[in-house]
Amino acid sequence: MDSKREVVKLQKNVSKWLKQRIVNPTLIRNFRDRPPGLFEAYLAGEDEISLLGSRARKIYFRHLVHYEHAVLNEGSNGYTDLALAVRHAEAYIHFETAFAEFNGGGSVLQNEAVLYFSLAVIAGWKDAASRIGQALIRGLDTSLLDLRHTDRHRAGEIYRHFWFILRLYAQAGGPKFDTSLYSYPPDMSPYATVLDDWLTTDPGKVHDWVCAMADFHAQEARNTAHDEIDEFDAEDVMLFPYEILCWLRLREWAGLENPKRFDHPLMQQPLAQLPAPVPLDVPATPLLDQVIVRFRQEFPDSFIGWVPAQ
């Protein structure tokens, strides 16, 4: 694969997708206008509690798209949208976790789950990342992720980067878990080498491993065939190496230095830059906070640690 050519093509396609998405009237209605009104309907007793996660996810996705558009197409940092995306992504995880743990109904896709965790890490929000990470590890055994060995599926073998990020979190101080209990990829390259020595102080190793992971990301963003699942083939993550940025930020939290530059072209475009300074400011979300207060009346053990912005 010609990495430079592939990244140029990806950047062109993603840039066009972002420009079209933010002005599409149907998407504006469904992702910007309707979800807040449906939150208000829930507060008035007129919308189903089971749909709250879906409402939060749509608001999250709108802000993620606007963050990426600001960074890639406008040359601005987009930090406000990134922060709002993380806030609503965490809410989505808490809603679905409550359903999964109390009535067996909540679920989240593996690749989206670790994207939400990574976004919290990238934003510099240690507490939010910990809350999301803990929910995901508990979710391995519930309907949230449902990845215990079973004759019904081998779903845990699909996304190598899912396990990479969860294992990084566990090694960085999160709850430990035994991968032998779960459906797990037979091949963890290029992540296995990184996991064995993720706290290395050798900048050459960090550089080379980032380039290897960037190669894998670009290859898995190519959208090769309809009957194949590629790890990064959705437009919102094709050009966004969040799994690599997550590792680099976790290294920063451990007090380690990272190389200032990487030779891989994926790491030389705007969406491959870590926000700074961090942590980003936590945005006010008064409507979401009201929804959570009411939700906790029915699920009092949910949203533990969630604090409204001051």
Side-chain angles (χ1 to χ4, degrees):
M1 181 182 70
D2 183 335
S3 297
K4 183 174 182 179
R5 180 178 179 182
E6 192 64 33
V7 170
V8 168
K9 183 170 70 173
L10 285 173
Q11 187 162 347
K12 179 180 179 181
N13 292 342
V14 172
S15 175
K16 180 179 178 181
W17 177 81
L18 291 167
K19 290 176 182 177
Q20 292 175 340
R21 189 169 185 93
I22 65 168
V23 297
N24 183 294
T26 300
L27 297 176
I28 290 173
R29 181 171 63 253
N30 290 338
F31 286 79
R32 186 193 70 185
D33 298 339
R34 293 191 69 226
L38 293 169
F39 273 169
E40 291 172 350
Y42 166 71
L43 292 172
E46 299 170 356
D47 194 39
E48 294 183 29
I49 192 171
S50 63
L51 297 176
L52 289 176
S54 173
R55 312 309 190 204
R57 182 182 178 277
K58 286 188 174 182
I59 298 174
Y60 140 78
F61 193 72
R62 170 181 170 259
H63 286 294
L64 179 68
V65 167
H66 278 259
Y67 162 68
E68 294 188 0
H69 176 69
V71 172
L72 192 61
N73 292 330
E74 297 182 336
S76 55
N77 64 42
Y79 290 168
T80 299
D81 277 304
L82 175 58
L84 286 165
V86 181
R87 197 68 166 158
H88 286 87
E90 183 186 352
Y92 173 44
I93 288 291
H94 288 310
F95 286 132
E96 295 302 312
T97 296
F99 299 141
E101 294 183 349
F102 297 108
N103 63 27
S107 65
V108 62
L109 297 174
Q110 295 168 56
N111 55 327
E112 293 187 6
V114 289
L115 171 57
Y116 305 151
F117 171 81
S118 298
L119 288 171
V121 173
I122 290 166
W125 293 358
K126 294 183 180 180
D127 291 343
S130 180
R131 291 190 295 267
I132 296 171
Q134 291 180 45
L136 298 185
I137 290 177
R138 294 198 311 272
L140 294 172
D141 299 309
T142 71
S143 68
L144 189 73
L145 292 162
D146 189 21
L147 292 177
R148 281 270 182 169
H149 282 301
T150 175
D151 294 334
R152 292 182 290 109
H153 64 72
R154 298 167 65 183
E157 299 182 12
I158 297 173
Y159 294 106
R160 302 179 203 181
H161 80 281
F162 168 84
W163 293 106
F164 170 61
I165 292 173
L166 269 199
R167 288 183 59 189
L168 274 180
Y169 169 57
Q171 292 181 21
K176 304 298 184 285
F177 59 95
D178 182 356
T179 58
S180 70
L181 300 175
Y182 304 101
S183 172
Y184 191 80
D187 177 11
M188 275 294 290
S189 61
Y191 305 117
T193 305
V194 183
L195 288 167
D196 288 342
D197 193 17
W198 74 279
L199 291 172
T200 181
T201 57
D202 184 341
K205 285 185 177 180
V206 176
H207 175 276
D208 292 348
W209 292 344
V210 164
C211 290
M213 289 189 288
D215 243 2
F216 181 72
H217 186 112
Q219 180 179 345
E220 290 290 305
R222 296 172 70 185
N223 221 331
T224 51
H226 291 296
D227 59 346
E228 294 180 6
I229 296 177
D230 295 305
E231 300 209 20
F232 305 106
D233 63 354
E235 285 86 353
D236 58 308
V237 297
M238 283 179 174
L239 205 63
F240 185 25
Y242 60 89
E243 74 287 5
I244 300 173
L245 298 178
C246 179
W247 176 48
L248 294 174
R249 183 73 85 199
L250 288 174
R251 283 177 50 82
E252 286 184 3
W253 287 355
L256 299 171
E257 291 190 11
N258 295 313
K260 303 301 182 186
R261 185 182 184 280
F262 300 97
D263 290 337
H264 198 285
L266 182 66
M267 303 304 295
Q268 296 172 359
Q269 47 84 30
L271 287 174
Q273 309 308 310
L274 280 168
V278 289
L280 300 183
D281 291 337
V282 176
T285 52
L287 179 58
L288 177 61
D289 294 334
Q290 292 176 54
V291 169
I292 290 167
V293 168
R294 174 162 183 178
F295 183 80
R296 294 194 68 203
Q297 293 174 6
E298 187 163 345
F299 295 92
D301 294 328
S302 66
F303 283 88
I304 301 302
W306 178 280
V307 179
Q310 300 303 314

